[in-house]
Amino acid sequence: MDLSLFYFANDSTAAGGGGRYDLLMEGARYADVHGFSAVWTPERHFHPFGGSYPNPSVLGAAVAAITENVAIRAGSVVSPLHHPLRIAEEWSVVDNLSNGRVGLAFASGWNAVDFALAPGAYEGRRQTVIDSVHTVRKLWRGEGMAATDGRGRDIEVRAYPPPVQDELPVWVTAARGIDTFRAAAKLKAGVLTHVLGQTPAELAAKIAEYRRVAAAEHDGWQGHVVLMLHTLLGDDLEQVRRHVDAPFRAYLKSSLHLFASSLVGGEIDVSTMNADDVDFLIEKAFERYFPTGGLFGTIEQAVEVVEMAAGIGVDELACLIDFGVDGLAALAGLEHLGKLHSVLPRG
């Protein structure tokens, strides 16, 4: 099992003046010298929750400048919001800055407000992800792309600068829809997923289907599965629980649409719920996800979660460390996470 760091930034409303990205930078430095696989940064728009990460390539360039070994990945690029030429250009720059350490997860996006950047792309966003993966890969290899210039002429363009890596490492962000897992397998892409809104058994079935399709489509290729988990480790479970209680509940509330139906056993429109109903669901979700839906507690307890993840077919855990936990506690948690990393078997 490999470990990587994943970022989200729970609160983007604090005034500037320095320090907003300290945990990202310190975590990246720590991951770089302790053998972690990657640092993932997301793409979020127009919302305090995650809004410090509107462009993962910009943050990726910053991480490239202070690291030497760790992979630098987008988790994810919301590709329907962008022209594939821009994706290829920006990330090729980061690939050069990092001497070939870039990887991209492509996502369709779910929040309609994000599509203020590209309103016409919302309806067909799932197919656009598939098309974007094909196109960005071709551009990455130096192939041309048909385009129209400002005078209406048909032209062919290529992305510059050329990247360091011959092939771009690619994942597709998948959640509850098994068709997305199948699409990733057909694309010969990895999967970036999470456990919100699904049980470990349900996720295991999707991973198994992903592996089946991948092997059938690509001559036995088994793919690569990354599972994002909220993470805080410490010496004492109850102390960890106190640190994560409020921020994890806030994260769950922001993601209520993902898991509400699974908790009540039927379809539910969260927009019609009153405050008491929301609080009830958040309490229920917290008690469900805290034991096994995150990497919480002591190293010994974390090993059990790692073993569960390995048992359902996960290759890498992307540890989300900046979901609102106090900065000092999150930094202290890195030391425990490093100890966990040192005791895990890796292929």
Side-chain angles (χ1 to χ4, degrees), residues 4-270:
S4 55
L5 297 184
F6 197 100
Y7 289 84
F8 197 87
N10 76 299
D11 184 5
S12 305
T13 61
R20 188 184 300 279
Y21 299 102
D22 286 354
L23 184 56
L24 170 65
M25 297 294 106
E26 289 304 312
R29 291 187 181 97
Y30 187 90
D32 194 53
V33 299
H34 286 85
F36 284 58
S37 297
V39 172
W40 301 80
T41 52
E43 178 178 349
R44 287 280 290 167
H45 298 284
F46 318 130
H47 197 283
F49 214 84
S52 292
Y53 294 97
N55 188 333
S57 67
V58 174
L59 274 302
V63 171
I66 63 167
T67 59
E68 297 180 357
N69 306 298
V70 71
I72 300 165
R73 299 179 188 158
S76 308
V77 170
V78 183
S79 57
L81 301 180
H82 309 287
H83 197 291
L85 281 164
R86 291 295 295 160
I87 298 173
E89 285 182 335
E90 290 182 8
W91 283 99
S92 183
V93 170
V94 183
D95 203 52
N96 278 271
L97 289 170
S98 64
N99 195 28
R101 292 185 278 137
V102 155
L104 303 185
F106 288 73
S108 62
W110 57 268
N111 189 351
V113 175
D114 290 359
F115 284 78
L117 294 171
Y122 184 73
E123 292 301 323
R125 63 193 184 279
R126 291 181 177 84
Q127 181 59 44
T128 299
V129 169
I130 296 172
D131 297 339
S132 294
V133 170
H134 287 302
T135 303
V136 172
R137 276 173 162 167
K138 289 179 180 179
L139 291 166
W140 196 268
R141 296 174 188 137
E143 299 178 29
M145 176 183 176
T148 303
D149 73 6
R151 295 180 178 176
R153 297 175 299 187
D154 294 331
I155 58 172
E156 183 179 81
V157 293
R158 286 174 170 79
Y160 295 97
V164 174
Q165 298 177 95
D166 293 333
E167 292 290 336
L168 174 66
V170 169
W171 289 259
V172 171
T173 301
R176 292 179 295 175
I178 195 167
D179 286 342
T180 308
F181 284 79
R182 294 188 183 112
K186 291 177 181 178
L187 286 167
K188 202 174 184 181
V191 166
L192 173 62
T193 189
H194 57 73
V195 293
L196 292 180
Q198 56 190 336
T199 66
E202 290 169 338
L203 180 57
K206 294 168 189 174
I207 293 173
E209 176 66 1
Y210 164 74
R211 304 279 195 203
R212 185 193 68 78
V213 175
E217 292 276 338
H218 304 292
D219 194 25
W221 181 70
Q222 289 297 300
H224 187 263
V225 177
V226 181
L227 177 63
M228 186 276 288
L229 289 177
H230 292 73
T231 300
L232 183 67
L233 299 182
D235 292 318
D236 177 74
L237 176 63
E238 288 308 311
Q239 183 182 51
V240 168
R241 186 184 180 103
R242 287 193 295 272
H243 280 300
V244 307
D245 188 286
F248 191 44
R249 288 174 191 269
Y251 185 92
L252 290 170
K253 185 174 289 189
S254 77
S255 307
L256 190 59
H257 68 286
L258 290 176
F259 59 80
S261 297
S262 67
L263 289 175
V264 299
E267 290 301 316
I268 185 171
D269 182 358
V270 298

